[in-house]
């Protein structure tokens, strides 16, 4: 007769071996996912940009354009690096380690750990993260935002970045970044964190999908996105049409008009147009065949838009 303890010991040995086998398989699958998602490989097919991220990107572009700087192209690769970083900051808090600030990365992801500025050197740089994690061929430079009061809002992030000298110098290529010529930028917002990366090289990833939409931004677009409909608005009318327009805003520059257009789209207007005439840009809430139709539509506008005026073009 075999003692009961023998069976218990046998069962424990079998269980231990199974745990080791499944543990090994799990680690192999995890390692495979690291190879797929990081180390210069492709970006997840499920990745997309949110409307608030597009809004923040557009604000930065308008800010640069108002200062006479070239507009930037949205970068899928740099946006993905920002996407990973804000989540690392939220869940793993690498900035809480002594000598590390919010440009740091933890040892708990598909990336190599980095304590910034403690580990920053000529041979090892945190600005190489885009090359490490995507197919982006060059360094990128990052600005960070954090609030403990809820979700980071595009307006609040932009207001801080545009008013602080350190982030302003990166955005506007001044100070130590005077010689840099940004071509692309990527952005991410997650909970109370926002990250934006700037780069001088073109992105080999030429398109990025918009979340909750069938729309795709390609590398030759600098988009204005309707949060309500997911439609990209780049149309500017330069010709007379004989129609009647409900005009809400008048601007000196196209970037200012695009920013005004975005605000109206965010307010729920689904067909905001930009009209250009004699060097002025106007935002129109709608267009109509007759003056009577335009007047009737104006009466139905929310109170805050009752001052819209009618223009015949």
């Amino acid at each position: 007769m075999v003692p009961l303890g023998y069976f218990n010991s046998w069962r424990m040995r079998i269980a231990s071996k199974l745990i080791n086998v499944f543990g090994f398989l799990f680690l192999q699958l995890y390692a495979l996912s690291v190879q797929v998602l990081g180390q210069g490989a492709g970006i997840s097919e499920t990745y997309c940009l949110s409307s608030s991220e597009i809004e923040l990107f557009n604000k930065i572009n308008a800010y640069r354009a108002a200062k006479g700087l070239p507009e930037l192209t949205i970068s899928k690769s740099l946006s993905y690096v920002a996407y990973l970083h804000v989540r690392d900051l939220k869940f793993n808090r690498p900035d809480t380690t002594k000598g590390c600030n919010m440009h740091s990365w933890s040892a708990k992801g598909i990336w190599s750990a980095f304590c910034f500025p403690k580990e920053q050197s000529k041979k090892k740089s945190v600005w190489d993260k885009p090359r490490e994690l995507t197919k982006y061929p060059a360094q990128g430079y990052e600005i960070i935002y954090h609030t403990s009061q809820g979700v980071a809002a595009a307006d609040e992030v932009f207001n801080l970045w545009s008013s602080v000298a350190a982030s302003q110098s990166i955005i506007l290529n001044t100070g130590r970044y005077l010689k840099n010529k940004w071509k692309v930028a990527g952005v991410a917002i997650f909970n109370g964190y926002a990250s934006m990366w700037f780069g001088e090289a073109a992105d080999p990833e030429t398109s990025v999908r918009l979340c909750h939409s069938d729309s795709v931004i390609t590398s030759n677009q600098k988009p204005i996105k309707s949060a309500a409909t997911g439609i990209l608005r780049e149309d500017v009318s330069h010709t007379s049409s004989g129609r009647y327009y409900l005009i809400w805003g008048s601007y000196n520059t196209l970037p200012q008009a695009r920013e005004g257009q975005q605000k109206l789209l965010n307010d729920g207007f689904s067909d905001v147009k930009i009209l250009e005439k004699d060097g002025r840009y106007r935002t129109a809430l709608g267009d109509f065949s007759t003056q009577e139709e335009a007047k009737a539509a104006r009466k139905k506008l929310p109170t805050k838009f009752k001052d819209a005026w009618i223009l015949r073009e």
Side-chain angles (χ1 to χ4, degrees):
M1 181 176 181
V2 180
L4 181 60
Y6 174 84
F7 287 106
N8 289 337
S9 176
W10 177 78
R11 288 170 179 161
M12 289 179 66
R13 287 197 299 270
I14 294 296
S16 177
K17 288 181 179 180
L18 287 173
I19 289 171
N20 289 335
V21 169
F22 285 114
F24 174 78
L25 291 174
F26 173 80
L27 290 175
Q28 291 300 308
L29 289 172
Y30 178 77
L32 179 61
S33 70
V34 170
Q35 294 172 10
V36 171
L37 294 176
Q39 303 299 322
I43 297 170
S44 170
E45 293 183 359
T46 61
Y47 173 70
C48 60
L49 282 168
S50 70
S51 59
S52 58
E53 290 166 343
I54 290 294
E55 181 184 356
L56 179 55
F57 176 81
N58 285 338
K59 286 181 179 294
I60 294 297
N61 244 350
Y63 181 47
R64 282 176 54 87
K67 300 293 184 179
L69 295 170
E71 292 188 19
L72 305 172
T73 300
I74 192 73
S75 165
K76 180 179 183 178
S77 295
L78 295 184
S79 294
Y80 186 63
V81 174
Y83 168 92
L84 293 175
H85 197 201
V86 290
R87 284 157 176 78
D88 186 39
L89 288 168
K90 168 65 178 176
F91 296 121
N92 301 320
R93 299 301 307 273
D95 55 309
T96 58
T97 302
K98 186 177 180 180
C100 309
N101 66 19
M102 283 199 294
H103 291 301
S104 302
W105 294 67
S106 76
K108 300 178 180 179
I110 63 176
W111 47 82
S112 58
F114 199 104
C115 176
F116 184 90
K118 184 178 179 180
E119 297 177 349
Q120 183 76 359
S121 67
K122 291 183 179 180
K123 293 184 178 180
K124 185 180 180 183
S125 176
V126 75
W127 311 132
D128 287 323
K129 286 299 176 186
R131 282 193 286 218
E132 175 188 341
L133 293 166
T134 70
K135 294 179 180 178
Y136 190 73
Q139 288 188 326
Y141 297 84
E142 181 190 37
I143 53 179
I144 288 282
Y145 171 93
H146 176 242
T147 178
S148 57
Q149 306 298 317
V151 178
D155 281 334
E156 295 174 358
V157 176
F158 171 75
N159 289 339
L160 179 68
W161 282 349
S162 60
S163 63
V164 174
S167 53
Q168 189 184 74
S169 66
I170 294 182
I171 296 170
L172 300 179
N173 295 115
T174 60
R176 64 185 297 183
Y177 301 98
L178 183 63
K179 294 183 180 180
N180 295 99
K181 305 296 181 184
W182 308 138
K183 292 182 180 179
V184 298
V187 62
I189 296 174
F190 183 69
N191 287 183
Y193 292 90
S195 168
M196 192 161 191
W197 286 75
F198 297 81
E200 296 181 278
D203 189 352
E205 297 280 358
T206 57
S207 64
V208 58
R209 187 173 60 85
L210 303 181
C211 301
H212 312 299
S213 169
D214 293 328
S215 297
V216 174
I217 304 173
T218 58
S219 59
N220 61 355
Q221 288 178 304
K222 301 174 181 70
I224 293 293
K225 177 182 176 295
S226 165
T229 65
I231 299 172
L232 296 176
R233 297 291 179 186
E234 287 292 331
D235 49 309
V236 180
S237 175
H238 301 272
T239 59
S240 298
S241 62
R243 295 181 67 80
Y244 294 85
Y245 294 85
L246 278 180
I247 303 299
W248 176 246
S250 182
Y251 306 90
N252 292 321
T253 67
L254 180 56
Q256 291 173 344
R258 282 178 172 167
E259 187 171 358
Q261 181 190 44
Q262 179 65 60
K263 290 179 180 178
L264 292 171
L265 290 168
N266 290 339
D267 281 329
F269 293 95
S270 61
D271 190 25
V272 182
K273 292 180 172 63
I274 296 177
L275 309 178
E276 188 275 336
K277 187 174 183 179
D278 299 327
R280 296 286 296 178
Y281 298 87
R282 299 182 175 94
T283 49
L285 304 178
D287 62 292
F288 307 89
S289 300
T290 66
Q291 187 175 26
E292 290 69 26
E293 288 178 355
K295 288 181 177 180
R298 183 171 59 180
K299 290 180 180 180
K300 297 178 182 179
L301 290 174
T303 303
K304 66 179 288 187
F305 297 104
K306 290 297 184 181
D307 291 334
W309 52 282
I310 298 172
L311 172 69
R312 187 176 187 274
E313 277 288 296

